[in-house]
Every structure is written in C-alpha cells, then in structure tokens.
C-alpha cells in the first residue's frame, strides 16, 4: 500500500506504485515494478484478481511478503481481508450498542433492589437483659457477641441495641452522660469494636439507639450550662421560676408531674420531658445541633449501620412557654399531673422538628454512598390517634427523613382481639402511609407489655405469623421469638423509674432476662446467681434451647416464616390484599404478577373457632392446602375454600398456584410498595 502524489491530491494506491517503498532485497523501488494498464485503478485486491500466476504475483506484492494472515487481516486493503475486517468491525460496533441498549433497558425496567433494612426483620436487644457475660447480673456487649449465632439461626440480619452509652442509669441508658463512651456496666469501647466487627463479619447490621432530646444531668454540658459557662449557657431549656413553686407553666413530664425542676446552682428552672435527671437539650441552639451531628459522625465513622432516634416528637418546644390546653378544662390545674391530662400543643411535634431530623438524615446520607453501606434511620414517636403526625417522619417524595417511623399500632391488638380489630390496625398504617413508602410493624419493645401477656399466650404464634407475612419490615423484641411473657414484679422489686412513680406504669415486667436454656439463670448468667430482674418462672420450658429441638415451637415457626418471607418474592415485593375480616378471622393474601405461587393467610384472632367461607373469592382455587399452621397438626391439611377451619389463636399460611390475580379485580383492597412483575422463564423481576 502506498500514497501516490497525483497532481495536488494524495491518493491511496496499491503497493506496486509506491515510489518510496523499498522492498526486502534492498534497493529496488516499488515504483520500478510495472504499473497497471491506464484506467485500471488498482487496489491491493488487484494482487489477487490479477491473472499472473501466483508466484509472479507474489513477487509483485512484495510488501506483503512474509506477513502472517493476522497482520494482513488488520492492514491489508485487499477485499478478502478488508471485507471480513469491516464486517467484524461493524459487528462489534453493533454488539456493543446492543449490549448497551440491553443494559440500559434492564436497568430502566428493573425495580429498585431492596435494602438490608427491608429484607430482614429488626431485632431489638435490650442489653441489660440479653446475655450477661461477666456474672454481675446485668447483660453486656460481650454477652451480645457471644450470642450472635442466635441471629444467624433465625436469619435475622438487623439488630437494634438499646443504649449502652456511659450513663448513671436513672433511665437505664436513656440518660446519657457521655455519647462517645460505653458504660462500664456494658463493657468497653474495645468490646463494642469487637462486637461490631464480628457482626459485620457475619453479615449483620448494627442499629444504635440515639437520644437527641436529652442528656443525663451528669453530662458535662449540663454542668457547664448550670454554671453559665458562656459556651454552654443555652445548651438546655432554662427559664426563670419561683424556687418554692418551680412551675413556670403547666407542662408535665412523661413520667408524671411537672416537667420543670429548679436548679440551685443556676437559680433557674430547666425543662425535662422525661425524668428530672434527663434535662431536655435546646436544639434551637445551632451549637447543640452541631454537637448532635458530631456524635452521629463519630458512630458512623466507627461503622454503625443506622440509628433508632429516640423520643423525636419531644425534640423542640414552643419558646413562648404558654400553658398547654387541658383535656378536661374543668380539672383543677393542680391535678394536672400526667401526660394524658394535656393536649401537647407546645411540647411535641413543633414546627422545625422535621427540618432538624432531615438535617441529621442528610449527614447520614453522606455515609451511605459506598455500595452496601446504606445507613438506616428509624424514628420513635407515639402519636396515638394522630397517625398523620407519625407519617410525617417518612419525609416527602423528594426529601427522605426516616426510612420508616416505628409503627406501634399493632401494640393495641390486645385491646380487642378479633379479626376486625387486627384488620383495622393494619389498615390504619396502610391507608395513611405516603405512596411508595415502606411499611413496618412492631409487636413489642422495652416500653410496652409483652403481647403474649396482654393479648394472651394463645395468640403468640398467630401474632408472629402476621408480623412476618405483612408487607414491610417486622420488628421483634428479644424473647418474642420464643413467646416470652411479662414477669410479675413486687413493689420492692421495681427498678424502672416510671414504676417508682406509678407501679402500674413499670416497664420492668417486659425487661426480664432472656431465656436461653433451662440451666441456671436460664443461661442468661452462667457465672453467678444474680440477675438484675427476676427470671420468668416458665424459663425451664420456654427457652431457646428447648424450642430449637422442637419443630412446632414458637421459635421454629418464627424461623420458618422468616425464611419464607425472605426467600419468596410475593412476600418481599408482592401485593398485599385484604380478603376478609370478621369477629374471629383476619385473612389477607400476598401475590406477585407473573409469579405462579401466591400465599393466603387465615388468622384467627378471636375467641372462638371459626369456619371461614372464601367461596366468593373466584381468584382462589377450590382446594387450599395449608403450608404451615401455628398448630402443627394441621400442616399439610387440605381445605375446601368454602370451609376453612381455624381455632382461636391459629394462623394458617396457605400456598396456592394460580395466574389469576386478586388485585386485578380488587384494586381498592390491595397495596404494593413498588410495582414489580416476575418473568418466570428467565427468573427476573421487572417494573410493570
Ligand atoms: C423512649 C425510650 C424510653 C425512654 C424514653 C426517654 O421512649 O424508649 O425507654 O424512657 O425514650 O429517653
Ligand atoms: Mg425537647
């Protein structure tokens, strides 16, 4: 191949004409070789097409001499090389474009992957009561590390640990003296680092409790504030008041009586929405906000995976300090002593609260960018009948706040165990949740009676079945997976400050030591004979060890249903539809478009056995086989859909096959967080 200077243009020519080319035997210019006939424009292919014998032609095309095919394929302009080369070139361009188009389409069509906090239940550890490794009668961080196998056994990946910060323990850790230290009762920072590293090794996520509303009165900030250190003077909510009657207004503490306490050192009153040893921080002060953000950074840097934000509705108070309206205007003001006596117009859910939480959230997001490192936020706010206030914590479609606010409504199930009531509580959340958000369900925590005690032992398995088959993230308080019940506490055994104020409000009964085995101290403390609260007397029969060996136990049922929930797409991504509710039974189904298998739950929350007739539901097959009953004898049983029999407290999970979708005909009774369809043939999910 050569260039020929022809008049003023440079033209690609075949090698024979290359005047500058010197062939291998040296000296003779390629231009010396005979030119083609005039008008016979030749390109390299001419070498092939020529009529000369191959050996002669070979001489003429000396420039190619000795070149292997691969090189010719790359550079030769002869058709036999150029054409395949061009074909290959365009083929690879087309393939790349096609691949790109497929990738873009797949990305565009794929529904968002679920994050870790959506896939696994959240398990709450109350560290005082989980496992005591050193025998002082109080659980600790090393104890939690020892028991990580329990979460693996249950396939639980998200663990929320109630506070273990340095604290005088007036409210068992919710009164923080140092947000950057571990209380010696629970161990050391080294123990925490080991716990976190081991959890991460096992694929577990650690959610910390975070308390932005208040500190302990032993916190360094409070001491500096009461002594009017100029930097800390406004760290808390102070106001002038009368020393002998220190009530600048009628506000009351959640634990009862005035939320104001006179401080001798400063000569003013400070606000505490909880104990007097828990002064409220002044989050209107930017310096305080910055302190909180710095602490958030501290723990995120350490690698924690999320925060449960404590008591968020109390974070801000009205600055005008006006009296709150009384629920009963005729009650003499001196009898206003409990939180139920007032409408909390000035002490909860104040304007600016959500901006604050979103500010915290934005800080967390800066740590969420690495793959697999999403930092999760859940908020705690009891808003009772004002469900719309709770929903605000979800944020807006554009600004995320918490990933979800805790849904406490199922804690009311014991008030009226019935199918109607269960459906009502579920729909309270589902009907009010902003579109596209992720639901969640709580059936117990360290502040509320264990549901096994308040609803009744017979409903434990049924409640767990509902918890694990509803759409969204379940939260399980330690011990619920084995059906632990409240302990009875005598007046002299009361530990909880709320109980000291009002015995019936004590939260000790639901905080008894975890029941690991039938051994000494239920395996909670195997070193000495002390436990900070008494054990439940049933621990010899109700414990993890015994239940692991029993396929029909509460624990085994929990494990089975959690596995189902995490492995079956209809539970993770599918539709949730109400099917029926009556005095006894609450029934709903989970289905996914394109997925042959669907699930029907029939749960009897009533007081009587029930025969449920679902024959009017055309989308269901006539015969329904029980995949799992909370009464194991009924596993595998086949029911006609016109008569499904359940005992009180019995829950059935029924698996059936169909491509007829219930939600298509009953849109109003159905909900899905983000629509997805399943393509059976290639086993993928796509947006639809
Ligand atoms: C939250 C905690 C509770 C604590 C209170 C004050 O409600 O769950 O246990 O007493 O906040 O921090
Ligand atoms: Mg506050």
């Amino acid at each position: 191949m050569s260039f020929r200077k022809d008049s003023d243009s440079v033209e690609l020519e075949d090698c024979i004409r290359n005047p500058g080319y010197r062939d291998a035997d040296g000296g003779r210019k390629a231009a010396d070789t005979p030119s083609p006939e005039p008008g016979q424009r030749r390109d390299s292919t001419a070498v092939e097409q020529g009529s000369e014998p191959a050996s002669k032609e070979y001489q003429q095309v000396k420039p190619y001499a000795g070149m292997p095919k691969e090189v010719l394929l790359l550079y030769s302009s002869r058709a036999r090389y150029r054409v395949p080369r061009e074909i290959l070139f365009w083929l690879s361009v087309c393939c790349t474009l096609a691949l790109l188009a497929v990738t873009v389409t797949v990305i565009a069509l794929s529904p968002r992957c679920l994050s870790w906090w959506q896939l696994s239940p959240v398990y709450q550890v109350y560290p005082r009561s989980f496992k005591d490794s050193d025998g002082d009668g109080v659980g600790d961080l090393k104890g939690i590390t020892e028991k990580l196998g329990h979460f693996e056994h249950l396939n639980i990946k998200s663990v929320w640990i109630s506070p273990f910060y340095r604290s005088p323990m007036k409210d068992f850790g919710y009164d923080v003296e140092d947000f950057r230290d571990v209380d010696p009762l629970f161990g050391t920072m080294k123990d925490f680092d080991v716990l976190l590293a081991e959890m991460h090794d096992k694929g577990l996520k650690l959610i910390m409790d975070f308390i932005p509303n208040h500190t302990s009165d032993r916190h360094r900030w409070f001491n500096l504030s009461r002594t009017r250190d100029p930097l800390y003077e406004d760290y808390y909510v102070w106001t002038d008041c009368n020393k002998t009657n220190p009530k600048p207004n009628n506000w009351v503490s959640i634990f009862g009586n005035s939320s104001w306490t006179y401080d001798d050192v400063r000569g003013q009153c400070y606000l505490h929405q909880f104990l007097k040893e828990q002064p409220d921080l002044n989050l209107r002060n930017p310096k305080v906000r910055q302190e909180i953000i710095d602490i958030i950074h501290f723990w995120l840097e350490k690698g924690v995976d999320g925060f449960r934000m404590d008591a968020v509705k109390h974070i801000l108070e009205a600055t005008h300090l006006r009296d709150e309206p009384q629920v009963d205007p005729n009650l003499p003001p001196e009898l206003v002593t409990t939180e139920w006596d007032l409408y909390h117009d000035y002490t909860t859910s104040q304007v600016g609260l959500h901006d604050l939480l979103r500010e915290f959230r934005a800080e967390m997001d800066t740590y969420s960018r690495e793959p697999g490192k999403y930092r999760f936020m859940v908020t705690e706010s009891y808003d009772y009948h004002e469900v719309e206030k709770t929903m605000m914590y979800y944020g807006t479609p554009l600004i995320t706040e918490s990933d979800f606010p805790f849904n406490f409504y199922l804690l009311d199930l014991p008030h009226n165990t019935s199918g109607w009531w269960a459906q009502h509580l579920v729909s309270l959340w589902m009907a009010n949740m902003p579109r596209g958000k992720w639901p969640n369900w709580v059936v117990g925590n360290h502040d509320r009676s264990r549901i096994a005690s308040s609803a009744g032992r017979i409903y434990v398995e049924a409640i767990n079945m509902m918890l694990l088959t509803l759409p969204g993230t379940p939260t399980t308080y330690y011990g619920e997976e084995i059906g632990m019940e409240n302990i009875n506490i005598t007046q002299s055994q009361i530990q909880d400050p709320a109980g000291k104020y009002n015995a019936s409000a004590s939260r000790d009964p639901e905080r008894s030591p975890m029941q690991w085995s039938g051994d000494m101290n239920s395996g909670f403390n195997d070193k000495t004979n002390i436990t900070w609260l008494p054990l439940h007397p049933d621990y010899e029969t109700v414990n993890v060890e015994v239940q692991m060996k029993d396929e029909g136990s509460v624990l085994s049922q929990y494990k089975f249903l959690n596995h189902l929930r995490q492995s079956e797409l209809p539970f993770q991504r599918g539709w949730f539809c109400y099917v029926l509710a009556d005095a006894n039974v609450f029934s709903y189904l989970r289905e996914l478009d394109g997925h042959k298998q669907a699930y029907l739950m029939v749960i009897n929350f009533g007081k009587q056995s029930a025969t449920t007739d679902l024959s009017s539901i055309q989308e269901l097959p006539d015969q329904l086989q029980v995949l799992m009953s909370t009464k194991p004898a009924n596993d595998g049983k086949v029911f006609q859909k016109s008569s499904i029999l359940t005992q009180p407290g019995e829950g059935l999970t029924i698996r059936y096959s169909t491509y007829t979708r219930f939600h298509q005909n009953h849109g109003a009774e159905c909900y899905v967080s983000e629509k997805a369809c399943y393509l059976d043939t290639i086993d993928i999910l796509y947006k639809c």
Side-chain angles (χ1 to χ4, degrees), residues 534-569:
L535 291 165
H536 195 287
D538 73 5
Y539 80 88
E540 285 180 15
T541 48
V542 178
N543 65 57
V544 174
E545 195 178 80
V546 163
Q547 294 197 5
M548 267 169 92
K549 294 185 199 134
D550 173 3
E551 276 186 25
S553 66
V554 187
L555 185 78
S556 299
Q557 292 188 16
Y558 188 100
K559 184 178 173 189
F560 177 85
L561 288 167
N562 188 30
H563 177 76
L564 197 69
R565 181 186 173 275
Q566 294 189 52
S567 58
E568 289 299 295
L569 284 171

Side-chain angles (χ1 to χ4, degrees), residues 59-71:
Q59 261 187 352
Q60 287 178 335
V61 286
K62 282 263 170 64
Y64 297 108
M67 289 187 184
K69 250 204 194 116
E70 294 77 18
V71 177

Side-chain angles (χ1 to χ4, degrees), residues 149-380:
H150 185 59
F151 308 128
E152 288 181 296
H153 175 74
L154 293 173
N155 198 20
I156 283 172
K157 303 276 184 211
S158 313
V159 181
W160 151 36
I161 308 179
S162 284
F164 46 82
Y165 305 100
R166 182 180 285 275
S167 159
M169 300 290 162
K170 292 288 183 219
D171 190 15
F172 297 129
Y174 284 96
D175 48 325
V176 180
E177 185 180 333
D178 185 349
F179 282 105
R180 289 185 176 81
D181 202 3
V182 171
D183 194 274
L185 200 58
F186 295 127
T188 61
M189 191 56 96
K190 173 99 195 314
D191 295 339
F192 170 79
D193 292 337
V194 170
L195 170 63
L196 183 63
E198 293 223 4
M199 284 182 69
H200 284 172
D201 269 1
K202 293 180 160 41
L204 305 173
K205 304 285 185 182
L206 194 158
I207 302 163
M208 294 222 2
D209 222 305
F210 193 77
I211 302 125
N213 180 63
H214 47 265
T215 68
S216 159
D217 60 347
R218 301 254 295 269
H219 197 289
R220 190 176 61 93
W221 302 336
F222 189 69
N223 281 322
L224 291 165
S225 193
R226 71 203 312 197
T227 52
R228 291 187 190 265
D229 180 296
L231 280 178
Y232 295 89
E233 206 173 345
D234 296 329
Y235 263 45
Y236 295 83
V237 183
W238 294 99
T239 190
D240 289 334
C241 64
N242 180 336
K243 184 175 176 172
T244 47
N245 183 26
K247 284 191 184 175
N249 61 23
N250 72 347
W251 297 358
V252 288
S253 146
I254 301 302
F255 292 134
N257 292 333
S258 172
S259 56
W260 296 97
T261 290
Y262 181 79
D263 180 56
D264 274 327
V265 179
R266 176 150 162 162
Q268 272 191 314
C269 276
Y270 63 88
L271 176 78
H272 52 89
Q273 297 219 42
F274 294 89
L275 295 176
K276 71 173 177 13
E277 293 88 354
Q278 291 170 298
D280 270 48
L281 284 164
N282 173 17
L283 278 122
R284 295 188 190 277
N285 179 345
K287 280 189 280 182
V288 174
R289 291 207 293 274
Q290 192 53 49
E291 296 273 12
I292 297 292
I293 288 170
D294 291 347
I295 296 161
I296 289 176
H297 282 219
F298 174 84
W299 291 101
L300 291 177
E301 286 291 336
K302 279 198 160 281
V304 305
D305 303 286
F307 292 110
R308 174 256 189 200
M309 294 286 182
D310 180 79
V312 287
K313 71 173 183 182
H314 302 281
I315 283 181
L316 294 176
E317 298 79 23
T319 49
H320 55 61
L321 306 187
R322 284 205 287 271
D323 277 358
E324 288 189 323
Q326 288 185 201
V327 173
D328 174 3
N330 301 320
L331 195 72
E334 59 280 11
L335 295 186
V336 170
T337 51
T338 77
E339 67 167 315
W340 313 112
D341 297 331
L342 296 173
Y343 292 112
H344 300 289
D345 293 357
Y346 305 140
T347 53
T348 64
S349 314
Q350 296 299 290
V351 174
L353 160 66
H354 293 285
D355 293 332
L356 254 168
L357 289 169
R358 288 170 199 183
E359 201 180 326
F360 300 160
R361 176 54 196 237
E363 297 297 328
M364 293 177 64
D365 284 346
T366 61
Y367 288 80
S368 294
R369 297 196 181 117
E370 268 172 79
K373 286 276 175 200
Y374 186 81
R375 313 298 173 114
F376 160 75
M377 188 207 271
V378 53
T379 42
E380 185 224 21

Side-chain angles (χ1 to χ4, degrees), residues 19 56 68 84 87 122 185 190 204 232 241-242 280 286 292 387 389 438 450 466 506 523 645 681:
K56 196 176 166 209
I87 290 176
V122 171
L185 200 58
K190 173 99 195 314
L204 305 173
Y232 295 89
C241 64
N242 180 336
D280 270 48
I292 297 292
V387 59
K389 284 195 176 164
W438 187 254
R450 286 194 182 271
M466 178 164 74
S506 173
L645 185 67
T681 40

